[in-house]
Amino acid sequence: MNGADTAFAPGRVNLIGDHVDYVGGRALPMAIQLGTTVTLAGRGGTRIRLSSDAVPGALDVAIDADPATVDPPWGRHVVAVLRELAISAGGTGTVTTSLPVGAGLSSSAALEVAVALAFGTDLTGLDLALACHRAEAAATGVPTGILDQLTITSACDGAALLVDCRDLSTRAVRLPDGLAIHAVHCGESRSLTGSAYASRRTACEDIEREIGPLRDATMDDIASLADRGRRRRARHVVSEIARVGDFTDAMDAGDLDAMGHLADESHRSLRDDYEVSSVALDAAVERARRVPGVIGARLTGAGFGGCIVVFAHRDVDPAEIGGWRLDASGPARRIPPAR
Ligand code: GLA
């Protein structure tokens, strides 16, 4: 084990490609400058004692506790990561975050990865993402995809990341000049526990039993589904995967208008076909689109509340859009001690 005791993990905004990672689709997220820092003042013993500046309730728990029973609930992620990495030495410290919690910007995955690096792991990139992804499932019981953890461990400074969730490969995609990206909170927080996230995933599995992998499905395959509800769910997934390819091409070509159009289509698809938007998210998207210079907006992440992502020309006054103007961050990292 190495002795690192401070680590930072960025959050992520998904530019496009939501609810496609768990069927092996492609998505285009970007790690952001907002993130979570875990600092350990002391190591050793068999307890984990952490306080958080974002969530009430300090964590004080045996390192071998069952993650599913830990209170406060954010501590479940901490315990699950340490169990996954077979780390047996406890520690005392603090968690600070500039991310809004439970807002679709991957605050849980950032916590998991920062904990892993602060307590000491030699895993990096995909291996670290896979370990933290297993921990997320143990902590929450929600069958999320790999998108969040992989973005956070494998991000590229100054670029978005095209993530292929079938072979888990990633490729940096440069941000076009003149583009501003904002996250704006719709005012409604969300938790995936108890949400329809798991049932959407189950619906995809049912569809795949009928027509084979959604990643390879065509619109003809979708038309062959007897159930209208299933046809709509499948239409979102298949069209969203196609939009990720088109959006990436538009980014490469610096075609901001095409990007905005695809973002708008993505939101409509998530709202109408996949039904993971909410009144507050839709209102935030409509509000953002009315700002002159905004080229498109959509919910980002799982939906059900939290943030939207807004694409705009860079000369628009950030205050007109609100929220956070986002920069592309590098991957999670240990912070060397100050000399
Ligand atoms: C959450 C999950 C991800 C992904 C998104 C939706 O962020 O953790 O795996 O499914 O929702 O794209």
Side-chain angles (χ1 to χ4, degrees):
M1 199 198 78
N2 76 51
D5 63 2
T6 300
F8 170 81
R12 66 101 190 91
V13 65
N14 197 16
L15 303 186
I16 197 159
D18 273 313
H19 288 280
V20 299
D21 61 342
Y22 47 78
V23 298
R26 291 194 301 172
L28 190 66
M30 177 180 103
I32 59 178
Q33 79 274 19
L34 308 175
T36 297
T37 302
V38 174
T39 303
L40 298 179
R43 287 302 305 275
T46 57
R47 292 194 79 76
I48 309 164
R49 293 192 176 93
L50 291 175
S51 61
S52 154
D53 71 339
V55 194
L59 176 66
D60 184 351
V61 72
I63 198 163
D64 59 357
D66 174 2
T69 64
V70 168
D71 197 50
W74 61 268
R76 295 176 191 172
H77 299 267
V78 177
V79 174
V81 166
L82 299 181
R83 172 179 285 206
E84 190 57 50
L85 296 173
I87 288 173
S88 54
T92 303
T94 56
V95 179
T96 57
T97 192
S98 49
L99 281 166
V101 173
L105 299 182
S106 287
S107 53
S108 331
L111 174 63
E112 289 151 14
V113 177
V115 163
L117 292 175
F119 276 82
T121 174
D122 293 326
L123 297 181
T124 57
L126 177 58
D127 293 332
L128 179 55
L130 289 168
C132 290
H133 179 240
R134 287 192 294 272
E136 165 98 16
T140 65
V142 180
T144 53
I146 187 76
L147 177 72
D148 306 345
Q149 291 83 7
L150 188 55
T151 308
I152 290 169
T153 64
S154 307
C156 281
D157 212 354
L161 199 70
L162 181 61
V163 175
D164 186 324
C165 299
R166 173 176 275 175
D167 63 11
L168 302 180
S169 61
T170 57
R171 160 166 95 74
V173 181
R174 206 180 68 81
L175 299 172
D177 295 336
L179 175 70
I181 302 174
H182 279 232
V184 179
H185 203 297
C186 77
E188 190 178 64
S189 74
R190 63 111 185 95
S191 156
L192 295 189
T193 308
S195 76
Y197 186 98
S199 70
R200 292 295 180 280
R201 187 164 182 167
T202 307
C204 288
E205 287 160 8
D206 292 342
I207 293 165
E208 292 193 320
R209 271 190 286 278
E210 271 194 62
I211 60 170
L214 275 163
R215 167 75 187 254
D216 303 322
T218 63
M219 287 299 169
D220 284 346
D221 295 327
I222 295 173
S224 74
L225 288 163
D227 181 77
R228 181 166 176 272
R230 286 192 182 178
R231 283 203 300 275
R232 285 165 57 210
R233 302 289 188 251
R235 188 167 60 192
H236 164 69
V237 173
V238 171
S239 66
E240 184 80 349
I241 292 172
R243 275 188 293 273
V244 171
D246 294 345
F247 193 95
T248 306
D249 292 345
M251 266 176 82
D252 285 338
D255 186 344
L256 302 193
D257 288 341
M259 290 169 61
H261 181 69
L262 289 159
D264 290 347
E265 270 186 4
S266 169
H267 184 76
R268 277 195 292 274
S269 179
L270 288 157
R271 182 191 65 194
D272 301 337
D273 279 347
Y274 219 62
E275 295 182 284
V276 291
S277 191
S278 68
V279 172
L281 280 169
D282 293 343
V285 163
E286 291 311 318
R287 214 177 304 120
R289 282 199 193 116
R290 282 198 293 272
V291 176
V294 164
I295 57 179
R298 57 183 290 280
L299 71 82
T300 185
F304 313 110
C307 285
I308 62 166
V309 57
V310 182
F311 302 94
H313 290 282
R314 200 146 186 106
D315 53 10
V316 176
D317 177 358
E320 292 287 314
I321 306 171
W324 299 266
R325 181 165 279 194
L326 300 175
D327 297 319
S329 158
R333 50 202 170 264
R334 298 184 177 106
I335 312 281
R339 285 166 179 271

